[in-house]
Amino acid sequence: MKIMMTMSMIVLMIVLAMMILVNFIAKKTFTDREKSSPFECGFDPKSPARLPFSLQFFLIAVIFLIFDVEITLLLPIIKTMTVSNIIQYSMVVIIFLIILLGGLIHEWKQGALDWAY
């Protein structure tokens, strides 16, 4: 117990020292609205400085991440079904899959899965 306490204190002190060191070394910039805007001899810029971002792509990426994380939650359940009560774990998996399908149907009806051309 004493060894774990000592090791955790050492790790905590190393982490705190690194955080303080990074704060001293890091480049500090103060962004100004005028400095970050594009300069074209005092005139308004001809084109926007930043490219437009596809919100549809972002929604598809977020939905993919959500369902990907939920699938990774299913994998340990498959492994533990061989050593545990199969009826209880089957009910858990069925309820989890019903929730997943409900979310998928909801996203489909909201139109988040329709790719806009």
Side-chain angles (χ1 to χ4, degrees), residues 93-111:
V93 169
I94 289 171
I95 291 170
F96 190 75
L97 287 175
I98 288 172
I99 292 170
L100 275 179
L101 287 174
L104 180 65
I105 292 169
H106 175 72
E107 292 295 331
W108 199 330
K109 286 185 177 182
Q110 292 292 321

Side-chain angles (χ1 to χ4, degrees), residues 1 5 8 10-12 20 22 27 47 49-50 74 83 98 104 107:
M1 183 70 177
M5 190 83 128
S8 63
I10 290 171
V11 168
L12 181 67
I20 291 170
V22 165
K27 178 182 176 186
S47 62
R50 293 177 182 86
L74 278 175
V83 295
I98 288 172
L104 180 65
E107 292 295 331

Side-chain angles (χ1 to χ4, degrees), residues 9-109:
M9 291 300 285
I10 290 171
V11 168
L12 181 67
M13 290 189 340
I14 290 172
V15 168
L16 286 175
M18 290 184 74
M19 286 173 57
I20 291 170
L21 184 68
V22 165
N23 281 333
F24 283 126
I25 294 175
K27 178 182 176 186
K28 296 182 176 50
T29 59
F30 298 103
T31 57
D32 186 16
R33 185 175 172 198
E34 292 297 323
K35 287 183 180 179
S36 64
S37 65
F39 178 71
E40 292 186 12
C41 301
F43 297 106
D44 290 332
K46 292 181 182 178
S47 62
R50 293 177 182 86
L51 296 174
F53 182 73
S54 173
L55 187 61
Q56 188 70 30
F57 175 76
F58 178 73
L59 287 175
I60 295 292
V62 168
I63 291 170
F64 170 76
L65 285 175
I66 289 170
F67 282 105
D68 193 41
V69 167
E70 290 171 350
I71 293 300
T72 58
L73 292 174
L74 278 175
L75 293 176
I77 292 175
I78 294 170
K79 183 70 175 171
T80 58
M81 282 179 69
T82 60
V83 295
S84 297
N85 185 2
I86 194 153
I87 295 172
Q88 180 182 4
Y89 276 99
S90 296
M91 292 303 292
V92 169
V93 169
I94 289 171
I95 291 170
F96 190 75
L97 287 175
I98 288 172
I99 292 170
L100 275 179
L101 287 174
L104 180 65
I105 292 169
H106 175 72
E107 292 295 331
W108 199 330
K109 286 185 177 182

